[in-house]
Amino acid sequence: MSKTAAISPAAAQAGADPAAPSPQTVDTSTEGRWLDLLTPRHAATTVMLCMGVALFAFNGFLVTTVMPSAIAEIGGGELIAWSVSLYLIGSIVSGASAAALKSRFGSRLVMLVATLLFLGGTLAAALATAMPQVLLGRMAQGLGEGIVAALCYALIPALYPTRLVPKVFGAEAMVWAVASFGGPFAAGWITETLSWRAAFLVNIPLGLIFLVLAIKTATPREIYETGSRIPLAPLLLLAAGMLVLLSAGSAVDLRISALTVIVGITLVSWSVVRDRTSSDRLMPQGAFGFGSTVGTGLWVVLLMPVAQATSAVYIVFGLQHVFGYGPTAAGGFGAVMAMSWSVVAVLIANLTSPQARRRAIQGGPVLQCAGMILVAVGMALQILPLLVLGQVLVGAAFGSSWSYLNQMLMASSPASERDKTSGLLPTLQSAGYAIGAALAGLTANSLGFAGSSDADRLHLVLSATFVAPILWTLPAIILAQRTLRLAPAPWGPGLS
């Protein structure tokens, strides 16, 4: 990606507010108030970031709700999976290149173009007369939204003092919770009362409001980096790897599906290795290495969504076909994780002690492991309260650790690398879910999920499938501990 948004020359170069405190120099023991997010200095930025999250979250729930109605009108049901896959590919690839684009052209221009691309994709999908047009619109939405999400993350350490960063993540978590509960109902109501096209078009006024706020908040480039280039080889390898991974679920033959997953992960790994040798890199130096805070921390950011993806893909299905609940009840239980995440993120944002923040980061993967075990046991024994409790713990795992982990990685990056680290965080989250979904699909299909309609058989398959993601939480626990041992002051052991 590119140059950071920090203080002094680096801040000016990144288009940040030069008066914004540096995340590395602000006293983290100073307690911030929630109302500080709405002061004249921060109000526009706070609303803009929340709008960016709202667009991303609402779109995730909108598509699964409206696509059946769209297919009934324009056909193309065989392509429905690609409406999600192409969006994810576009989001991940564009998010990975966002910091390089910001360094080259400035945050205002890049945010403007990305938002217009998202709005153009929205119009293309809403006005489509055939499924390929919807898919083209979804790809454009993903390309725009990936950049928007990455730049919103990159702007957080530049435009907020350190004491407010956890509260920014808490505010975003609240928006996500509202979208997770209200998104499907709103999209369904609009589709039923108006049309599926109208549900897509809701993005237009939201996107225009975000665009105005982005122009007001983001500053233009002040220094033109003539030597800055986007490393195409790693980017193309990343795109190819994600394309292969996301197509794994459509493979009928299990051996082909397994080979597809292996090839996809290999291409993504090759992209990381190739990026390390590039003169202009997508990722921060030492990304996914084991000798630095950023290197090991990025693994945690990736592995936790990989583990969570199994629930995202199969838990609502299991609640319907194993527990016998209807779509509304199953969807409600499925959203418990998001609500727990949001509630805990809000509560945890009030921590001021560095030791408490360290414990929150360290405890996140542990809570996730415990939660995934309860989910697996609840599914196997068909005990709903146990399964729901597991979902609550998984949500609490993300809510307790996510904001402080992200903040620590931002603060631990050198000034010239902070944009790369910040912008990579939401991209890694999407990539983790995509990789985890591919692995979950491979596990379930290898156990006979595909084509099975027998309830007892599905119960056995899903029970075994929910055991696999527990394994991904174990390295996350170890790497979170190592990340904290390597962390600089005030995050490191004995340095607070």
Side-chain angles (χ1 to χ4, degrees), residues 137-411:
R138 290 290 291 159
M139 173 66 89
Q141 281 187 319
L143 289 170
E145 187 60 55
I147 292 175
V148 166
L151 290 186
C152 284
Y153 263 64
L155 288 173
I156 290 174
L159 299 180
Y160 290 92
T162 304
R163 62 187 172 83
L164 290 181
V165 170
K167 288 180 170 53
V168 175
F169 283 109
E172 292 180 346
M174 285 189 281
V175 173
W176 188 273
V178 172
S180 67
F181 275 95
F185 293 108
W189 181 81
I190 294 171
T191 300
E192 290 178 5
T193 57
L194 298 173
S195 71
W196 64 270
R197 300 181 188 275
F200 267 110
L201 289 173
V202 168
N203 284 311
I204 299 298
L206 296 177
L208 290 175
I209 294 172
F210 176 84
L211 183 63
V212 172
L213 291 170
I215 292 174
K216 174 180 173 58
T217 302
T219 55
R221 181 191 69 248
E222 296 185 12
I223 299 177
Y224 183 78
E225 296 186 27
T226 55
S228 176
R229 296 180 304 168
I230 298 176
L232 291 179
L235 201 60
L236 290 173
L237 285 169
L238 177 62
M242 296 312 303
L243 178 63
V244 172
L245 271 173
L246 289 167
S247 64
S250 60
V252 178
D253 190 289
L254 179 60
R255 292 169 297 181
I256 296 177
S257 179
L259 179 62
T260 302
V261 171
I262 293 171
V263 170
I265 293 177
T266 300
L267 288 171
V268 172
S269 302
W270 188 8
S271 170
V272 175
V273 173
R274 182 69 178 82
D275 186 62
R276 290 177 178 173
T277 63
S278 300
S279 56
D280 296 284
R281 289 176 285 106
L282 293 171
M283 304 178 192
Q285 188 173 8
F288 298 106
F290 298 100
S292 68
T293 302
V294 173
T296 54
L298 291 178
W299 275 111
V300 181
V301 173
L302 177 69
L303 288 171
M304 288 183 70
V306 168
Q308 170 57 23
T310 300
S311 293
V313 174
Y314 289 112
I315 200 159
V316 173
F317 183 92
L319 286 168
Q320 291 185 39
H321 294 272
V322 174
F323 287 81
Y325 287 98
T328 302
F333 285 126
V336 165
M337 193 279 291
M339 179 57 71
S340 175
W341 180 339
S342 302
V343 170
V344 174
V346 171
L347 296 175
I348 213 77
N350 294 315
L351 293 179
T352 57
S353 164
Q355 294 94 332
R357 294 181 178 191
R358 282 172 48 81
R359 287 193 292 270
I361 295 172
Q362 191 173 22
V366 177
L367 272 178
Q368 187 184 27
C369 181
M372 295 305 301
I373 290 173
L374 289 180
V375 169
V377 174
M379 182 65 70
L381 301 180
Q382 292 184 259
I383 302 176
L384 181 64
L386 207 59
L387 188 148
V388 172
L389 178 59
Q391 283 286 84
V392 169
L393 289 183
V394 172
F398 282 94
S400 66
S401 63
W402 211 243
S403 64
Y404 292 121
L405 175 62
N406 288 336
Q407 183 182 2
M408 181 177 67
L409 295 181
M410 293 173 183

